[in-house]
């Protein structure tokens, strides 16, 4: 099958086979010779070139030696890694939920709330999160859509959908990148690891057991998420832009490495973010308020960020406090 495809490709593109010497025209090419065999072809020649009218002649590379290895990785390993990142993480979270249950506000809801995130911080969070969600879904479609979505929706719908998802992947890269730069600038000073984080980790962070280790604005778990987003997201963005602007930064082999790195980092990030989304919503009572209204329950804040509460009340002279909308328990 590959032989036929390769032959068709060679003939329709008036392809040429190149070593270090100039490319030979396809008219001198005998399709019955043993070198038509894929391996023999690639062993015998550095790369297979076509003709292109694009100004950059490197775009004429049709097949190069690392290509089959890259294709095999995408066909064999990538779907399993994607399944482990998404389904594996969902299974772990379900197990955690069944064992630990929802983390409740132990003191019950208080009569007061305290301002945790202002309007700009919430805008920045949701802009990045919305772009991220669509990037994650469209990225997963690039990686495993042919296996997962194509059999479900059929080829017409799949190709239309994939076209739109690919466009959204390219364009949402920009608000996503802007979001992680802003997050870095605004939150980095609260995310420098320190001695308190070691104590927080030793005490299980309140996830294992029911201790409430003291923490400032962000605890060690949130700091880990911050650095995964900033460093992981930064690397995902850098490798992604290498692919959006082909040949600007590297050659075909470099872009293959960039795509593999991009996919693996993105899948790691998807697994970590599923954990973040779980704790921020169903996993912990009261957590979603921080990014919804911005005001969190005072008891929640004292349990999870005791040092930050004291500092915030002192700094704002109590102005960050508000009466709770619902009656205290
Ligand atoms: C600045 C941000 C980003 C840029 C510029 C970018 C760009 C790209 C490009 C150009 C591709 C290759 C598309 C193709 O082969 O047609 C790609 C693939 C992919 N992207 Fe992104 N992306 C970004 C962010 C993300 C994020 C945040 C995620 C996930 C959370 C993600 C997940 C993926 C995945 C899973 C693939 C498929 C990898 C593969 O098939 O090997 N991307 N991205």
């Amino acid at each position: 099958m590959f032989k036929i495809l390769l032959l068709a490709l060679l003939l329709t593109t008036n392809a040429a086979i190149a070593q270090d010497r100039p490319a030979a025209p396809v008219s001198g090419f005998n399709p019955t010779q043993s070198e038509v065999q894929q391996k023999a072809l690639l062993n015998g020649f550095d790369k297979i070139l076509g003709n292109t009218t694009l100004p950059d002649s490197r775009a004429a590379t049709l097949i190069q030696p690392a290509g089959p290895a890259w294709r095999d990785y995408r066909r064999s390993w990538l779907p399993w890694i994607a399944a482990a990142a998404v389904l594996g993480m969902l299974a772990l979270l379900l197990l955690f939920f069944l064992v630990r249950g929802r983390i409740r506000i132990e003191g019950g809801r208080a009569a007061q709330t305290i301002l945790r995130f202002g309007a700009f911080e919430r805008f920045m969070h949701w802009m990045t999160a919305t772009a991220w969600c669509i990037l994650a879904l469209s990225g997963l479609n690039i990686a495993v859509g042919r296996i997962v979505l194509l059999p479900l929706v059929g080829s017409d719908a799949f190709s239309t959908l994939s076209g739109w998802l690919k466009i959204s992947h390219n364009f949402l890269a920009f608000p996503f990148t802007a979001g992680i730069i802003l997050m870095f600038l605004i939150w980095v000073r609260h995310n420098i690891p320190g001695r308190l984080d070691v104590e927080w980790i030793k005490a299980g962070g309140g996830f294992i057991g029911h201790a409430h280790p003291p923490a400032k604005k962000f605890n060690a778990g949130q700091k880990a998420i911050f650095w995964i987003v900033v460093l992981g997201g930064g690397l995902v963005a850098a490798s992604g832009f290498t692919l959006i602007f082909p040949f600007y930064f590297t050659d075909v082999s470099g872009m293959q490495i960039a795509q593999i790195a991009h996919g693996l980092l993105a899948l790691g990030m998807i697994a970590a973010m599923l954990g973040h989304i779980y704790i921020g919503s169903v996993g912990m009572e009261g957590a979603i308020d921080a990014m919804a209204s911005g005001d969190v329950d005072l008891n929640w804040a004292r349990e999870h960020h005791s040092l930050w509460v004291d500092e915030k009340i002192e700094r704002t002279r109590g102005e960050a406090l508000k009466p709770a909308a619902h009656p205290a328990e």
Side-chain angles (χ1 to χ4, degrees), residues 115-130:
L115 179 66
R116 182 148 169 80
F117 293 117
F120 185 73
E121 284 174 300
R122 281 177 283 138
F123 163 76
M124 178 178 80
H125 173 271
W126 288 118
M127 177 187 74
T128 319
T130 310

Side-chain angles (χ1 to χ4, degrees), residues 293-314:
S293 65
D295 297 309
V296 291
D297 182 272
L298 189 57
N299 283 349
W300 178 92
R302 285 201 194 286
E303 285 171 18
H304 299 290
H305 301 278
S306 53
L307 301 174
W308 169 76
V309 172
D310 295 342
E311 187 264 337
K312 180 95 179 176
I313 293 176
E314 196 185 310

Side-chain angles (χ1 to χ4, degrees), residues 70 73-74 78 131-144 166 169-170 172-174 176-177 180 233-234 236-245 259-267 269-270 273:
W70 171 80
Y73 155 79
R74 291 180 54 79
L78 187 61
W132 182 87
C133 284
I134 301 170
L135 283 165
L137 289 174
S138 51
L140 282 172
N141 188 54
I142 295 166
V144 293
K166 174 64 186 134
H169 200 87
N170 285 0
L172 288 170
F174 295 93
F176 173 75
T177 308
I180 53 176
V236 164
S239 51
F241 284 120
T242 304
L243 300 168
I244 284 192
F245 301 107
Q259 191 180 24
I260 292 172
H262 184 78
L264 292 179
L265 286 163
L267 289 170
M269 203 178 170
I270 288 174
M273 288 302 115

Side-chain angles (χ1 to χ4, degrees), residues 138-155:
S138 51
L140 282 172
N141 188 54
I142 295 166
V144 293
R146 282 172 65 89
I147 302 172
V148 178
L149 200 57
L150 177 61
L152 292 177
V153 299
S155 51

